[in-house]
Amino acid sequence: MWFEVAARSTVVFTVTMENAEGQGRHEHTAWVRNAAAAPQEMTWVVPAYAREMDMRIVRVEFHSE
């Protein structure tokens, strides 16, 4: 998943994942910080443990810092 983070900002987000059968729902909250003076494109990938369980992203919710 790609997203842009404003200059000198932090983004907090929660990713909801589930397996291909629509079961095994799991939420993962993470944050990224852009210390640069310009906006930066950031990326987040499904963690290895979740990929091994065939999890996919079904929802992303961005929160204020």
Side-chain angles (χ1 to χ4, degrees):
M1 142 177 107
W2 292 88
F3 53 95
E4 186 173 285
V5 179
R8 295 185 174 93
S9 296
T10 300
V11 171
V12 180
F13 56 94
T14 300
V15 177
T16 304
M17 299 172 280
E18 64 184 28
N19 66 17
E21 291 80 35
Q23 302 172 357
R25 192 163 275 217
H26 173 73
E27 288 189 349
H28 180 87
T29 299
W31 63 272
V32 292
R33 171 110 177 112
N34 176 13
Q40 298 290 317
E41 280 192 355
M42 303 284 187
T43 183
W44 185 87
V45 296
V46 175
Y49 71 88
R51 285 194 307 271
E52 290 172 5
M53 296 185 295
D54 199 26
M55 301 292 260
R56 60 192 171 117
I57 297 172
V58 294
R59 186 174 115 195
V60 178
E61 181 180 351
F62 287 89
H63 313 278
S64 56
E65 186 178 9

